[in-house]
Amino acid sequence: MFKRNTLNKFTVVFLLMTALLLSGCNSNTDINTESSNISDIQNTDISNTSDIQHINSSTVEVVSYKTRDIENNDKEITKQAEVYLPRGYDSSDKSVKYNVLYFMHGTEGTESSYLGTPSSPSDFKIKIDEMIADKELEPLIIVMPTLRCGDEEDYVAKTDYFDEELIEDIIPAVEQKYNTYTDDFSDEGLKASRSHRAFGGFSMGGQVAWNVFLSDTDYFKYYMPLCHSYINIKSRDMSADDTAEFIAQNIKDSGYTSSDYYIFAATGTNDEYGIPMISMVDSLKKYTDLFKLSDTDFSSGNLILYRSEGDFHSMYNSCKYMYKGLPLLFSN
């Protein structure tokens, strides 16, 4: 048997080691990663919320839909997206309608990276609950799709034509099921409800967000590209100035004006994938008829570039940017 004083020493050591481990879980240190599990890196303080009962009162559901695998001879496949429904969502109350944010994960992510799963929600999901409960954010529906088809690893090329799946398959599957502002699901009906729809993404998903901005302006009014610039599939080595010129010309050709689209872009100053986006946005500012830069909100401009000093490329940091950008979406 151990003597009492020996046992006490082991107890002290155990407690110290436990405290160190717990403090490490709450560290805000930047992680240069796109971890597919946000709970591994997300730190959320829910201790100061005004209504602690809202935690876990929202729901996360899984929506399945049919689509085509363009890289596999247009084979019909079934995919899934995760859907966040805010506290108080009542499917039977058609009088209450919700704006919708579609958000694409990074290269190493999946549709469950940010929200967790229905049985095991993430800290990110809880933080969104908190923001809504504290009236920092209007209740909304958040949809997390994926580029992946099953367990495939090489799927990044799908960024080039994801917009077809988004418009033809994902939006109808989601917005016909839930209480949104879309009543007419024809092409014209989807366009008519564009002011109640946003698209964002982190890293690879940020590139997708810029793609959607150029390809699907008819269907989305708000955009939140994080930590990645636009990449032209026909000329991937375009300079920031050339890329900005290409974007500006596309918007001019679309016929939309600066009051028809709003962009919250964010990245860290040490983010290797986000730095090119900073240069690209700086070049976009030259087209003052199309992009009016604002430092605060969309009341004085349609383009916000949030630069977080010292941040590296990480999923944790993308959540910080989302907390800043989400309240601005659908604000006007």
Side-chain angles (χ1 to χ4, degrees):
M1 294 180 61
F2 290 110
K3 293 181 180 179
R4 182 179 298 274
N5 61 346
T6 304
L7 180 60
N8 287 341
K9 289 179 181 178
F10 277 96
T11 303
V12 171
V13 171
F14 173 79
L15 291 174
L16 286 172
M17 291 180 66
T18 302
L20 287 170
L21 287 171
L22 289 174
S23 65
C25 292
N26 289 325
S27 173
N28 287 343
T29 304
D30 285 332
I31 304 172
N32 195 21
T33 180
E34 292 181 11
S35 170
S36 60
N37 184 1
I38 192 63
S39 295
D40 290 343
I41 53 182
Q42 175 61 29
N43 174 43
T44 302
D45 180 8
I46 61 173
S47 60
N48 294 322
T49 183
S50 60
D51 180 10
I52 199 68
Q53 293 181 355
H54 73 271
I55 301 303
N56 291 330
S57 61
S58 62
T59 57
V60 176
E61 297 187 355
V62 175
V63 171
S64 297
Y65 61 93
K66 300 287 187 182
T67 189
R68 297 173 296 119
D69 186 353
I70 297 177
E71 289 188 326
N72 193 12
N73 298 318
D74 283 346
K75 177 183 177 181
E76 185 179 84
I77 57 175
T78 300
K79 294 181 65 176
Q80 293 182 333
E82 286 201 346
V83 179
Y84 168 89
L85 301 175
R87 182 190 188 192
Y89 178 87
D90 181 356
S91 60
S92 64
D93 187 355
K94 303 300 181 183
S95 66
V96 181
K97 301 179 183 296
Y98 294 85
N99 296 313
V100 186
L101 166 67
Y102 296 82
F103 191 88
M104 179 61 71
H105 57 77
T107 305
E108 297 178 9
T110 68
E111 69 273 18
S112 61
S113 294
Y114 281 84
L115 293 173
T117 64
S119 60
S120 181
S122 69
D123 290 343
F124 171 79
K125 180 260 188 192
I126 294 173
K127 178 63 175 178
I128 299 301
D129 287 346
E130 178 186 339
M131 292 177 69
I132 293 175
D134 291 342
K135 302 188 184 306
E136 298 173 11
L137 177 65
E138 289 292 321
L140 79 166
I141 293 173
I142 301 176
V143 182
M144 298 284 183
T146 183
L147 291 180
R148 296 179 185 270
C149 297
D151 296 327
E152 67 177 348
E153 296 183 0
D154 186 16
Y155 62 91
V156 176
K158 296 180 186 295
T159 58
D160 296 340
Y161 45 81
F162 171 74
D163 60 298
E164 296 179 29
E165 178 181 334
L166 175 64
I167 303 303
E168 297 175 10
D169 305 314
I170 299 176
I171 291 178
V174 169
E175 299 190 21
Q176 289 186 63
K177 180 178 176 65
Y178 300 105
N179 297 344
T180 70
Y181 285 89
T182 306
D183 298 316
D184 175 4
F185 291 92
S186 67
D187 191 57
E188 289 306 311
L190 293 179
K191 291 177 180 178
S193 56
R194 68 182 291 273
S195 63
H196 299 285
R197 202 175 291 122
F199 193 95
F202 161 62
S203 192
M204 174 197 71
Q207 177 187 336
V208 174
W210 287 110
N211 290 352
V212 171
F213 172 54
L214 289 183
S215 301
D216 302 308
T217 324
D218 286 343
Y219 306 94
F220 294 86
K221 186 174 182 177
Y222 300 91
Y223 304 87
M224 189 164 55
L226 307 178
C227 310
H228 212 293
S229 64
Y230 171 73
I231 297 180
N232 188 316
I233 62 174
K234 296 180 180 179
S235 180
R236 294 184 180 271
D237 296 324
M238 290 174 64
S239 67
D241 286 341
D242 289 342
T243 301
E245 181 181 6
F246 178 84
I247 292 174
Q249 188 59 54
N250 270 264
I251 295 301
K252 285 181 181 178
D253 293 343
S254 73
Y256 286 107
T257 68
S258 60
S259 61
D260 294 323
Y261 48 87
Y262 294 86
I263 303 170
F264 174 86
T267 191
T269 57
N270 286 336
D271 187 325
E272 59 181 317
Y273 297 101
I275 291 173
M277 184 179 73
I278 294 175
S279 299
M280 184 187 77
V281 171
D282 283 341
S283 296
L284 284 175
K285 292 187 298 184
K286 301 173 185 176
Y287 302 91
T288 54
D289 56 329
L290 299 173
F291 298 99
K292 302 181 187 303
L293 197 67
S294 172
D295 293 328
T296 53
D297 54 39
F298 291 135
S299 63
S300 58
N302 67 341
L303 175 60
I304 296 173
L305 175 60
Y306 175 73
R307 315 181 199 205
S308 188
E309 190 65 33
D311 278 2
F312 290 89
H313 193 73
S314 77
M315 195 172 172
Y316 168 79
N317 288 329
S318 75
C319 291
K320 294 195 303 182
Y321 310 151
M322 288 182 75
Y323 302 150
K324 289 186 175 294
L326 278 170
L328 302 177
L329 302 180
F330 313 111
S331 59
N332 54 344

